[in-house]
Amino acid sequence: MSARTGTPGGHAVATSGSRLWLALVLLSVTCVQAALSQSPATGVSLSGKVQDAETKTALPFLTLQLQTEKDSAFVGGRLTNEAGAFTFTGLKKGSYVLLVRSIGYQPVRQRVLIGELSAFLDLGAILMVKEARTLGDVVVTANADAVASTMDRKTFTVADNISQSGGSVLQAMSTVPGVTIGQDGKVQVRGSDKVVVLIDGKQTALTGFGSQNGLDNLPASALERIEIINNPSAKFDANASAGIINLVFKKQEQQGFNGKLGLMGGAGALWVKQENLPTIRPQYQGTPKFNPSAAVNYRRGATNSFLQADWLYAPTLNKNEFSTRTYDDGTVITQQVKRNRRTDYATLNAGVDHAFDERNAVTVSGLFNREKILDNGDNPYFSGSLQNRYRLWQFLEDEVKYTAFATAVLTHKFTEPGHTLAFTGNYSFHREDEKYFFTNTLPTFVGTDAFTLLSDEHVVDFNADYIKPLRQGRVEAGFKGRHRSIPVNMQFFAGRNSPLDTGAGGWATYRETIPALYGTYVYESERVELEGGVRFEGVRVDYDVNPTHNTYTSDGYRYVQPFPNVRAAYKFDDANKLSLFFNRRVDRPNEVDIRIFPKYDEPELIKVGNPGLQPQYSTSAELGYKTSWSKGSVYAAAYHRIVDGTITRIATQVPGSVLLYNVFQNAGRSWSTGSELVWQQTVSPTLSLSGNASVYRKTFDAFSVVNQYPVPVSYASPRQRLTSGNVKLNAVVKLPYAWQTQLSNVYLAPDLLPQGRIESRYSLDVGTKKSVQQGRGEIVVNATDLLNTMQLRRTIRGSDFRMVSTDYLETQVVRVGYNWKF
C-alpha cells in the first residue's frame, strides 16, 4: 500500500516502496549498459567445434561459410583447425546462417542469432552425419574447388588422380594444372623450375632445401594431397620464385585402430620407341613396377599414433637420348646416351600427437628413406657416319641415398579461439654415397676408370610462430633459424689414358646460416580482403674448396634483405572475387649448383658447378579473378615476373676439342608475362570436366658469361623471346556397376631455353577404378602416356656448335592395383 504526505510545494515524494522500485529500474539500466559495453564496435565472436555424429571425433580443415539470413550475402569463410574448432569474429547484431560442408557428409545448415548481451557465443558441437553411399559414389576432384578461396594456391587430392595411381610423385604432378615436367625431369610452374618442394609444410633433405629432389622416385601412394602455392605469404621461406609445392602425407585421425593397405603392379617400356645405335647393350623393355603401401592409425583419448610405409620398385629406361652435334669446322658427331636404371625406394613415416590438455599439445614425428640406384649406361659416339664409332663409354653407377628427418612441434592455445603459439624443431640428415665405374673403349685401347663421392648433409631448424586473431582478420609473426652443413669428398681413380680430371677432385664443404623474422597482417570485411607481410632474411653461405683444386677457389655470399608480399581482394558477391598479388623472392644456388666436381656420365658433355654463383632475385605481380556457380568454377589470372641474375646452365666448347662443358651461371635478367585459366564443371551426375590452360611469353635479355672450368671460355647471347604454354584436360566419367574412369590429356607447347628451345610434347593418360566390398576396397587400372608420344626434343646453340637431341625415355606404364581400408 502506498502513502503520500503533503509538502509546501504541493509535490508528492516517493515512499520507501517506490524508492525500491526506482532503484531496481536504475540497476537494470546499469546492467544493460554494462552488457552493451561488452559488445562494443569490436562485435561478437562466434565459435564452435565440428564433429562426426557417430564417433564424436573432430573434423579438421572443413569449409564453413557464414551468410546473412535475409539475403544470403556472404559474411565470411573459415576452415576448422586441427581440433575441428572454428571462430567467426566481428559479427554484428542480426540473424545468420552457418553452412558446413565436407565430401562424404551431409551438409549442415544452422541458424544463428547474434544479439547484444554477450560478446562471445559458443555453438558447442556441430554434428555431421555421413552420407549413406559407398566410396564409389563419392564425387572426385572436379567437384572439389581446386582454387582456394584466397586464390593463392591450388589443391589436388592424389586419390582422385586415377590415371597416375601407383606411380611416383613426379608422374602424379604431370597432370596437375599449372605444373609441367621440363628437361632433366624438373618440375616447372608457369615455365620456371625454381620451385621448392615441402613435406607437410617443411623443407627436408628428401625433397631438397630451396630446390626439388627425389620426386621421380617418391611414391604418390604416400600422399594425401598436393598443394600448388603460387603466391606464398611471408610465413614461408623467401626462396622459390616460381612457387611452392607442398606434399601432404597421409594421416588418419579416427578413433580406434584403422588404416589402409595398397598394392600396385605394372610394366613400362612396352615397346621400343627408338632403336639403339649399333654396338651397345639392349635398352630396358617391359620393365616391372611394384608398389606396396600401408598406413595405420591408432587414436585413443588425447593420443593419436600413425605409421606409414611405402616401397617402390621401378626399373626404368631413365634416359634414351639421341643427339647430333654439328661444329663450325664441319665436324659432325652422332651419339646416344642410354641409361637403364633400377630403383628401390623405401619410405617410413611415423609419429605421435598428444594433447596434454585443451590448450597444450605436442607432435613428434620422424621420416626415414632409403633409395638404392643402379644405373647401367651406354654412350656410343660416331664421327660422320654410323660406320665410324670412335668411342664407347659405358658406366655403372652404384648409389645409395639415406634420408632421416625428425620434427617436434609444441603448440599452446590461448583462451581466445585461434590464438596460438607454436615452437618447432627439425633435424634433417641426408647421405649421398656414389660409386662410378667406367669402361672407355677406343679403337686402340680399352681403359677403366672410377670415382667415389660421399656427401653428408646436416640441417637444424628452429621455428617460433605466433597467431593472434583480430576482429576482422589476424596478425602472424615468427622467427626461423637454420644451420646447414654439407661436407663432400670426391676421389678419382684414373686408369690407362684416363679422360678424368683428377686435379678437380678432393673435398669441399658448404655451410649455410639463415636467421629470419616475419610478420603478416590480415584484414577481412564483407567486401574487402587485405594481407600484407614482410620477411627479413639474412643469409651467410661459405663454400670452402680444397686448395689444390686446379680451377676453383673458396667462395660464398652474404645478404640481409626484406621480402614483402601483398594480397588485396574485392568480393563482388559470394561467387565472384578479384585479387591482386605482389611479392619479392629469392632463389639461392643449391649445393649441387656450385659443386666443383665434374660429372662424367656423359664424357663429352660434362656438367660441373660454379662456386661463384650468386642468388637470383624475382619480383612478381598477379591479377586473378574467380567466379563460381552451383556445379563449377573458373579462375583466370594474369601475371608478370622479373628475374635478375637468372640461374641456368651454359654449355661452351673447349678450344681445339669437341668436348662441351655445361656450367651453372648467372645469365642476367629474364622475365615472363602470361595468363592462366583453371576451369571445372560437373556436366551431369555421370560426367565431370576440368581443364587448365596457360600461355606466357618468356624473354631472356642479352647476356655474356665466362665458364672458368676447365679453362676460361666466353659466351655471349642476344635477347631471345618465345611464346609458350600448355593445355591440360581431364574428364571423369561414372560408368555402370560403380566403375569410374578418368582421361587426362596434356599438351606442352615449345618453350625457351637460355641457349635454345625445347619442342612441343603431348601425352594421353587413362585410368579406371571400382569401389568394392561396400566401399572398403578399390580396384584401380591405369596407363600413362597411352599412345607413347611423350618425348623431349631440344636444340642448344653455342658459340661454335649446334646440338639437336631427342630423349625417348620411358613414359608409357600400365598398372593394376587394389586398396583396402580397415
Side-chain angles (χ1 to χ4, degrees), residues 203-213 239 427-430 455-461 481-487 509-514 539-542 557 588-595:
Q203 290 184 340
T204 75
L206 184 62
T207 54
F209 289 87
S211 63
Q212 45 177 293
N213 295 323
N239 56 306
Y427 172 72
S428 189
F429 169 78
H430 180 72
S455 169
D456 284 344
E457 181 174 10
H458 304 268
V459 186
V460 178
D461 285 336
R482 167 178 293 165
H483 180 72
R484 184 177 175 213
S485 174
I486 311 175
T509 301
Y510 176 97
R511 290 192 304 274
E512 176 185 86
T513 303
I514 305 177
V539 172
R540 173 175 177 171
V541 171
D542 294 298
Y557 57 85
R588 299 184 294 272
N590 304 307
E591 186 271 333
V592 293
D593 298 344
I594 65 177
R595 187 175 285 182

Side-chain angles (χ1 to χ4, degrees), residues 547-589:
T548 63
H549 194 278
N550 56 21
T551 303
Y552 290 128
T553 59
S554 299
D555 213 324
Y557 57 85
R558 318 248 189 296
Y559 69 75
V560 177
Q561 294 200 27
F563 297 95
N565 77 284
V566 176
R567 181 177 71 88
Y570 182 78
K571 296 173 283 190
F572 298 95
D573 51 41
D574 190 19
N576 296 275
K577 182 188 287 188
L578 184 70
S579 289
L580 177 66
F581 301 88
F582 170 84
N583 66 56
R584 182 175 183 267
R585 300 185 67 79
V586 62
D587 291 289
R588 299 184 294 272

